[in-house]
Amino acid sequence: MVKYINYTTEPPINFDQLLTLYESLGWNSLKLTCNDLERMCNQSWYAIYAFDEKQLVGMGRVISDGVITGVVCGLCVLPSYQSEGIGKEMVYRIIHHCEQNRVIPQLMCVEGLEPYYETFGFKKFTIGMSININR
């Protein structure tokens, strides 16, 4: 059965779906709430959502000043929908939005995902670093 995926910049009505998506990927070690996720998305420069009918199946966002660079983050697809081109379509839409606004897209990814992002033209350029804080 072919699924029709709707891509939109309109956020989900209920951010419980995004919480479910994050938890399905093991991404909620910070114990984020639905309110945290809603704020995170609303404060992003750009966010794209993928829906199968009313079910949220993917999301990606960009944090940016809107002038020079934009950091792609939170790109995710529900496990049962992976390998169907949904992530790829969201990356293309993110790159297109950045190009339209003359913003250079950058990202950090976990080791092993570099070949995936290289297919879009991303190249390694630096070393990312992080510091753990008490939350």
Side-chain angles (χ1 to χ4, degrees):
M1 180 169 120
V2 176
K3 297 174 186 163
Y4 173 74
I5 303 299
N6 179 39
Y7 300 91
T8 180
T9 57
E10 291 297 316
I13 294 168
N14 183 343
F15 276 83
D16 287 341
Q17 292 186 63
L18 185 55
L19 182 60
T20 299
L21 176 53
Y22 265 46
E23 289 177 347
S24 75
L25 297 167
W27 282 15
N28 201 12
S29 63
L30 297 176
K31 306 284 186 235
L32 299 171
T33 66
C34 292
N35 288 336
D36 294 330
L37 295 172
E38 183 174 7
R39 205 169 98 218
M40 173 190 81
C41 290
N42 289 338
Q43 291 179 172
S44 296
W45 178 71
Y46 178 75
I48 184 83
Y49 305 92
F51 289 92
D52 182 358
E53 297 194 16
K54 294 184 180 189
Q55 180 184 5
L56 180 68
V57 298
M59 193 273 291
R61 61 193 185 94
V62 180
I63 300 169
S64 179
D65 55 17
V67 178
I68 299 172
T69 59
V71 178
V72 179
C73 54
L75 183 71
C76 56
V77 176
L78 202 61
S80 59
Y81 284 77
Q82 290 177 0
S83 300
E84 295 184 20
I86 296 168
K88 181 182 284 188
E89 181 64 26
M90 289 190 300
V91 172
Y92 283 135
R93 289 172 184 248
I94 287 169
I95 291 169
H96 179 73
H97 185 79
C98 288
E99 285 175 339
Q100 283 185 314
N101 290 278
R102 301 182 62 208
V103 168
I104 301 163
Q106 299 176 340
L107 61 82
M108 293 189 305
C109 64
V110 296
E111 226 172 315
L113 284 180
E114 300 96 336
Y116 176 76
Y117 289 106
E118 287 169 350
T119 65
F120 299 98
F122 286 95
K123 295 178 181 10
K124 284 187 184 182
F125 74 98
T126 190
I127 296 173
M129 298 177 70
S130 180
I131 187 170
N132 289 328
I133 61 166
N134 292 327
R135 285 185 43 103

